Amino acid sequence: MTSSTLPRLTVWNEYRHELENPKVSVHYPDGIHSVIADGLRRHGFESVQTATLDQPEHGLTDEVLNNTDVLLWWGHKAHGDVSDAVAAKVVARVLNGMGLIVLHSGHFSKPFKTLMGTGCDLKWREVGEKERLWVVNPAHPVAQGVGEFIELEHEEMYGEHFDIPAPDELVFVSWFAGGEVFRSGCTFTRGSGKIFYFRPGHETFPTYHNPQIQQVIANAARWAMPTASAPRSFGHRPQPLETLPLEKL
C-alpha cells in the first residue's frame, strides 16, 4: 500500500450462526461481517469488502488476499471447515506484510494458531455476565478515543490461562463478574505483518454494535496497516556485496 492508495480492508466471517440461530440473527440479520464493515465505514474507511466461509475459496481468492491490506477474522463453530490451503495463504500474506485482526473465538482459527505456534486454548463460560475491559496501555494507538475502560453488560467469559506466546504489547485486560481476568487486547508481529487479537464479540450478544468496540476495531485496522520496511530476502547469495580475498572465493 502506498500513501496515495486507500486502505483496503476485508472482513471475513463464517456466517453460519446468523443463518441457523435466531438468538444471533436478531442482532446480526445481515451477518456479523456486515455490522463490522459498516462500523469501519463510519470510521472513514472507504474500501471495505466482506468474505464468508461458504463462498468459493471461502471468499479469500488470491486476488482478494493480494488486494487486502488488513484482514479481519471472525470464526467460531467451523474452524475445521476452513481449508488448509486457504489458511496457509492467509499466513503467507501476514508474513509478507498484511495486517490481521483476530476477533473473539478466532483465537482457535487455523491462521491464528499457526502464527502463534501454540494451542491458543483458554477457559470459557457462557452465562451473559458483565465484562469490563481496562485499558492498560493508554498511549497505544489501538486504545485511542476509547476512555479508561469499556463495559459490556452481557458477554461470554474468557479466562486465563490463555495459551498464547507473550504478546509484543498488551492493550486491554478484561475483568468478568464471575471473577476471572483475561488478556483481551494483544499485539504480535510475525514476519512483516502486524496482528491484533481482540476478545469481545460472542455471537448471541450485540457487542459489535457498541461504539467503543467499533472504535477499537477501527483503531486496530489503522495500526495494522502495512508499512514500508526492508525487503524480506532469503536463500543462497552467491554474489558477495564486497570483493572477497581470492583465497576465500
Side-chain angles (χ1 to χ4, degrees):
M1 188 188 77
T2 66
S3 59
S4 60
T5 305
L6 286 174
R8 301 163 301 179
L9 309 184
T10 299
V11 182
W12 189 89
N13 175 29
E14 284 179 358
Y15 196 35
R16 293 273 181 88
H17 289 284
E18 301 94 321
L19 300 177
E20 300 169 1
N21 187 347
K23 292 181 179 179
V24 179
S25 60
V26 68
H27 299 303
Y28 304 105
D30 297 315
I32 288 171
H33 54 289
S34 295
V35 172
I36 293 171
D38 287 345
L40 289 165
R41 294 184 187 107
R42 281 193 291 273
H43 279 270
F45 292 98
E46 297 180 26
S47 180
V48 184
Q49 63 183 335
T50 62
T52 57
L53 177 63
D54 292 321
Q55 293 176 322
E57 298 184 64
H58 313 321
L60 298 176
T61 62
D62 288 343
E63 181 180 2
V64 168
L65 284 173
N66 290 335
N67 288 282
T68 296
D69 296 309
V70 178
L71 175 65
L72 298 94
W73 187 286
W74 193 98
H76 186 201
K77 65 183 292 183
H79 300 305
D81 292 350
V82 175
S83 79
D84 291 344
V86 169
K89 289 195 299 183
V90 170
V91 169
R93 281 287 292 123
V94 172
L95 296 176
N96 282 306
M98 182 182 73
L100 179 64
I101 313 300
V102 178
L103 301 168
H104 190 58
S105 45
H107 68 89
F108 264 156
S109 67
K110 289 181 178 180
F112 188 68
K113 290 178 71 174
T114 298
L115 289 161
M116 294 299 102
T118 57
C120 300
D121 211 341
L122 45 80
K123 300 181 181 72
W124 63 275
R125 178 175 58 246
E126 187 184 341
V127 296
E129 63 202 89
K130 180 184 292 186
E131 177 182 7
R132 186 175 294 128
L133 295 97
W134 287 97
V135 176
V136 295
N137 191 346
H140 198 281
V142 173
Q144 297 311 293
V146 174
E148 193 174 13
F149 61 86
I150 301 170
E151 190 160 304
L152 302 171
E153 194 62 32
H154 302 288
E155 252 296 350
E156 180 182 22
M157 185 280 293
Y158 280 8
E160 294 288 345
H161 175 60
F162 187 14
D163 185 20
I164 54 173
D168 295 345
E169 298 171 293
L170 185 59
V171 185
F172 298 97
V173 170
S174 286
W175 165 90
F176 293 89
E180 289 85 0
V181 296
F182 192 76
R183 290 169 289 168
S184 52
C186 305
T187 76
F188 306 89
T189 303
R190 294 293 184 270
S192 297
K194 291 183 281 187
I195 303 167
F196 181 64
Y197 172 76
F198 192 43
R199 195 221 73 83
H202 188 64
E203 66 273 7
T204 58
F205 304 116
T207 298
Y208 292 120
H209 293 277
N210 183 292
Q212 289 175 291
I213 297 298
Q214 293 184 358
Q215 178 74 65
V216 171
I217 293 172
N219 290 347
R222 290 190 180 91
W223 169 84
M225 287 292 175
T227 56
S229 59
R232 286 160 52 83
S233 178
F234 306 103
H236 180 223
R237 185 190 291 267
Q239 186 62 41
L241 294 177
E242 306 289 346
T243 301
L244 295 174
L246 188 60
E247 64 270 15
K248 293 185 179 180
L249 294 177

